[in-house]
Amino acid sequence: METNESSEPQSILGAVLGSSPIFLSLVFATLTTLLWQKGFRKGFKFALRAQTDGPVTNFFAMLSRVVLEQLFAQPPKAPTKIRVSRVGAHAVDLTFKGDLSQSKFVTLPTYEVRLRGREILAELGRPGAPQADEEGFWRKAYGRTTSLRLKDLFDDEEYILRVRAINGKGPGPWVEVPFYTRQEVTPFSGGTYLPEKHGKRSNEAVGSAVYAWSQDYGTVVARVELPREVRKAKDLRIDIQPRSLEVECRSGQMLLAGELYAAVRPDESTWEIEDPSSSTAVDAEGNGGMNLVLYLDKVKKDEPSKRDKFNWIGFLKGHPMVDFNHVARP
């Protein structure tokens, strides 16, 4: 009777290797961890950061990072400490702190910055317009820097800024920050306030009136559009304080109320009602109303030797600010 000879038994190592494709990766990760614990941290960091001086070191550096990234890494956390500063009419500075908690195992994250604004949305679909996602955000910057200058913005506009980090495991969550650009300004002038556009920006100042303001070295002049029922001075209640202003109709309608940008001298400040036929009237919509003109005397005045030092960049705090950074002086 013939007996079948059993085939040569497979080695345990071969069976494991054949059934587990990631075995080598696990062995490699284990060895590198042991080396780390045994005092080879300096050389291992050297390889991880790809500070190479030859093709062999470069190969093992890339292999180390790929293995560690796939085994231990997680998608990055959201950026923190997001700050929008140096706000101008057409540019702002953006700084934030990225997630570096996994820098030993993964490559440094890349950051994506997107913007959305009303003027941008109006341009979408036109030739040469930026490509936006389904929510109207378009990419403004992409790279590893955490400090950048965002340019080519529209003046006096509301924007929503989005920032996220991306590493080898994918993108992290978005963080949204709203901001407003300043109004453009010409020498010695100020800005405007439109309740339907600017009213939602802040609770620091209230009121329903449209106004425009300008200034010279010592005086701030504000022209306020009045309702049609206001025809005489007695129809108004005006309270000018060193740091605040209130303009109210006798009917109870508050036209302006808030904290002034800087201090004024109430005793030296005056006001008058201006006919809308004047060339300087605010009545842009032709509604036939009168205009209140306020002449506020600055406490701190500009001098020829200190030109623009005491320029106001806003009329009431919480209302739009103007940008003096790019004013062309005569």
Side-chain angles (χ1 to χ4, degrees), residues 18-209:
S19 61
S20 179
I22 65 170
F23 179 76
L24 289 177
S25 298
L26 292 174
V27 170
F28 181 80
T30 303
L31 291 176
T32 52
T33 303
L34 291 175
L35 288 174
W36 182 275
Q37 297 297 329
K38 293 296 182 180
F40 292 94
R41 297 184 181 184
K42 183 176 181 181
F44 191 60
K45 285 184 178 180
F46 182 80
L48 280 181
R49 293 175 182 174
Q51 297 173 345
T52 63
D53 54 5
V56 176
T57 310
N58 185 45
F59 170 77
F60 281 105
M62 290 190 298
L63 183 60
S64 301
R65 187 169 296 283
V66 168
V67 171
L68 292 175
E69 208 168 57
Q70 295 303 317
L71 293 178
F72 303 113
Q74 298 293 329
K77 298 178 182 178
T80 58
K81 298 183 179 179
I82 299 177
R83 183 169 178 262
V84 177
S85 60
R86 291 183 61 200
V87 179
H90 302 287
V92 299
D93 280 354
L94 170 65
T95 57
F96 54 89
K97 183 178 180 181
D99 176 23
L100 302 179
S101 61
Q102 304 181 84
S103 59
K104 295 179 181 179
F105 305 109
V106 298
T107 55
L108 293 176
T110 301
Y111 302 100
E112 182 179 9
V113 178
R114 289 178 175 261
L115 277 178
R116 184 177 69 183
R118 183 182 56 182
E119 295 294 339
I120 294 176
L121 293 177
E123 292 292 326
L124 295 180
R126 298 181 183 178
Q131 296 296 318
D133 59 22
E134 61 278 2
E135 297 183 69
F137 287 88
W138 58 281
R139 179 182 289 184
K140 186 65 176 176
Y142 188 82
R144 289 185 175 174
T145 179
T146 58
S147 177
L148 61 156
R149 181 79 169 162
L150 305 179
K151 300 180 180 180
D152 301 324
L153 305 179
F154 292 92
D155 76 302
D156 194 23
E157 183 57 50
E158 176 184 5
Y159 286 94
I160 298 178
L161 177 75
R162 274 185 171 181
V163 185
R164 70 175 177 180
I166 304 172
N167 64 13
K169 296 293 285 188
W174 288 108
V175 179
E176 290 190 1
V177 177
F179 70 91
Y180 302 91
T181 53
R182 292 186 177 182
Q183 294 180 344
E184 288 186 328
V185 65
T186 55
F188 305 109
S189 69
T192 59
Y193 176 77
L194 305 173
E196 66 275 11
K197 179 178 181 179
H198 305 126
K200 65 178 182 179
R201 296 189 180 182
S202 174
N203 295 324
E204 296 180 50
V206 298
S208 58

Side-chain angles (χ1 to χ4, degrees), residues 308-323:
D308 300 341
K309 181 178 180 180
F310 300 121
N311 263 342
W312 288 25
I313 62 171
F315 185 64
L316 293 179
K317 292 186 177 180
H319 281 188
M321 301 288 105
V322 296
D323 181 15

